[in-house]
């Protein structure tokens, strides 16, 4: 029988790639649908597929293109018929690669591009994939099946602590902060709408910590060594949170250590 099915959106590198590795390594016989905008250029992902024959499907999906998302949802419906977990991992800091330090750096196009990828994309993913999540409910963790069956699938949007309005004491990074604050609002809204459905879908935002990936690389020199996580560590933490989710925990944002992140 088919094991749990996870779709990792934004899986060519960084945390998305690590989520794929984690599920394939730890959760036999789980299968992974890895989406990325350039499968031909995603060498690590291809190697991962070769190492796990029959368990990794790679689909082309640029999260800014609704047509790609619609097409991928039809392919998943046809091949798998359900989803147990979606992780929306793709994001950018800013098209320039640098967060704005002041208003001087703000450009309309920079903000629009960042929001299109980081916020609109995950919401449109939810629009097309929610029906498949409603058919899911398989667990990726060690929970007994009766506990795991309290809800259907899980939708996890990868957010960032800097998207917390309550936590913002520093300013800057207008586009990225706004994109993640708005993503958190999308998570909350989704948890309400999909929490009314039968069966209910659990929707959460997850902050991975500061992680040693390309996204924040140019800022790592300012981060103390013990505060800069490997993607393995971060994904282990986030998957432990996902394993213990239930419907009461839906509609919230969580830090990598499981504590709640203030809006
Ligand atoms: N790293 C950190 O310190 C940190 C901290 C807090 C939150 N986060 C969040 O964690 C998540 C993962 O980030 P990361 O650190 O793994 O970043 P990363 O290494 O820079 O990877 C970003 C990923 O997003 C993909 N992507 C960008 N635009 C896309 C698009 N239009 N369509 C499809 N995929 C697209 C990239 O694909 P390509 O290879 O095609 O460019 C890449 O796979 C993000 O949501 C980020 O905001 C990261």
């Amino acid at each position: 029988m088919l094991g749990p099915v996870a779709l990792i959106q934004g899986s060519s590198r960084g945390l998305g790639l690590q989520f794929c590795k984690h599920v394939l390594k730890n959760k036999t016989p789980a299968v992974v649908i890895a989406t990325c905008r350039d499968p031909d250029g995603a060498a690590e992902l291809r190697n991962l597929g070769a190492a796990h024959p029959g368990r990794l499907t790679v689909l082309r999906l640029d999260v800014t293109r609704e047509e790609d998302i619609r097409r991928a949802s039809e392919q998943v419906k046809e091949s798998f018929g359900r989803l147990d977990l979606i992780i929306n991992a793709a994001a950018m800091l800013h098209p320039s690669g640098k967060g704005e330090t002041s208003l001087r750096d703000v450009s309309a196009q920079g903000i629009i591009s960042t929001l299109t990828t980081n916020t609109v994309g995950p919401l449109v993913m939810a629009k097309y994939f929610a029906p498949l999540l409603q058919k899911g409910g398989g667990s990726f963790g060690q929970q007994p099946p009766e506990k795991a069956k309290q809800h259907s699938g899980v939708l996890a949007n990868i957010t960032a602590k800097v998207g917390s309005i309550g936590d913002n004491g520093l300013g800057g990074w207008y586009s990225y902060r706004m994109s993640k604050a708005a993503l958190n609002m999308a998570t909350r809204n989704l948890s309400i709408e999909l929490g009314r459905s039968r069966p209910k879908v659990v929707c959460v935002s997850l902050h991975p910590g500061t992680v040693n990936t390309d996204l924040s690389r140019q800022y790592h020199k300012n981060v103390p060594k013990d505060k800069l996580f490997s993607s393995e560590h971060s994904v282990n933490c986030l998957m432990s949170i996902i394993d213990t989710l239930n419907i009461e925990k839906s509609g919230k944002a969580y830090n990598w250590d499981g504590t709640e992140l203030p809006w």
Side-chain angles (χ1 to χ4, degrees):
M1 212 182 86
L2 185 66
V5 185
L7 185 149
I8 315 298
Q9 187 276 111
S11 54
S12 58
R13 54 196 167 92
L15 284 159
L17 178 65
Q18 184 58 35
F19 273 112
C20 297
K21 290 182 183 170
H22 180 102
V23 172
L24 290 173
K25 189 168 153 211
N26 298 348
K27 314 287 176 188
T28 309
V31 298
V32 173
I33 301 153
T35 74
C36 61
R37 55 184 167 178
D38 178 18
D40 298 335
E44 267 212 74
L45 201 52
R46 280 205 313 276
N47 293 342
L48 193 61
H52 299 276
R55 293 183 59 206
L56 180 75
T57 301
V58 180
L59 297 180
R60 184 182 302 276
L61 189 157
D62 181 328
V63 80
T64 66
R65 292 170 50 93
E66 185 160 357
E67 178 52 26
D68 283 9
I69 298 175
R70 191 193 60 73
R71 192 180 317 115
S73 71
E74 282 175 4
Q75 288 170 299
V76 174
K77 184 177 174 195
E78 202 174 305
S79 304
F80 299 94
R82 70 161 212 273
L83 275 179
D84 302 294
L85 172 67
I86 291 184
I87 298 189
N88 274 314
M92 64 162 100
L93 188 56
H94 188 268
S96 69
K98 269 182 67 187
E100 304 96 334
T101 50
S102 79
L103 268 178
R104 248 193 335 268
D105 304 328
V106 169
S107 72
Q109 200 45 54
I111 292 198
I112 289 166
S113 299
T114 309
L115 267 92
T116 304
T117 299
N118 298 7
T119 317
V120 180
L123 184 61
V124 177
M125 285 290 296
K127 169 182 166 180
Y128 286 95
F129 285 100
L132 292 172
L133 284 171
Q134 281 163 349
K135 296 197 174 104
S139 170
F140 290 83
Q142 313 305 326
Q143 294 200 40
E146 67 279 8
K147 272 206 147 182
K149 263 292 164 202
Q150 284 177 344
H151 57 78
S152 53
V154 169
L155 171 64
N157 289 325
I158 305 301
T159 187
K161 194 173 175 198
V162 296
S164 163
I165 294 174
D167 187 70
N168 183 4
L170 211 60
W173 289 19
Y174 283 91
S175 299
Y176 189 67
R177 283 185 188 275
M178 287 167 64
S179 74
K180 295 298 190 181
L183 177 67
N184 290 343
M185 180 58 90
T187 299
R188 181 64 168 219
N189 251 27
L190 286 165
S191 75
I192 293 169
E193 181 166 347
L194 301 179
R196 288 191 194 116
S197 65
R198 274 173 201 277
K200 302 170 192 302
V201 175
V202 170
C203 306
V204 292
S205 286
L206 298 176
H207 167 56
T210 303
V211 190
N212 192 2
T213 67
D214 297 336
L215 186 126
S216 51
R217 192 165 312 284
Q218 67 172 300
Y219 300 96
H220 292 170
K221 55 183 180 305
N222 307 324
V223 180
K225 265 211 165 83
D226 61 325
K227 297 262 160 45
L228 181 63
F229 295 165
S230 67
S231 53
E232 288 90 335
H233 176 67
S234 175
V235 166
N236 285 345
C237 293
L238 298 186
M239 283 305 290
S240 304
I241 297 172
I242 288 170
D243 288 346
T244 60
L245 285 174
N246 56 41
I247 202 66
E248 283 75 40
K249 293 184 176 169
S250 190
K252 294 178 178 162
Y254 297 98
N255 286 304
W256 56 272
D257 62 358
T259 56
E260 215 178 305
L261 182 65
W263 296 126

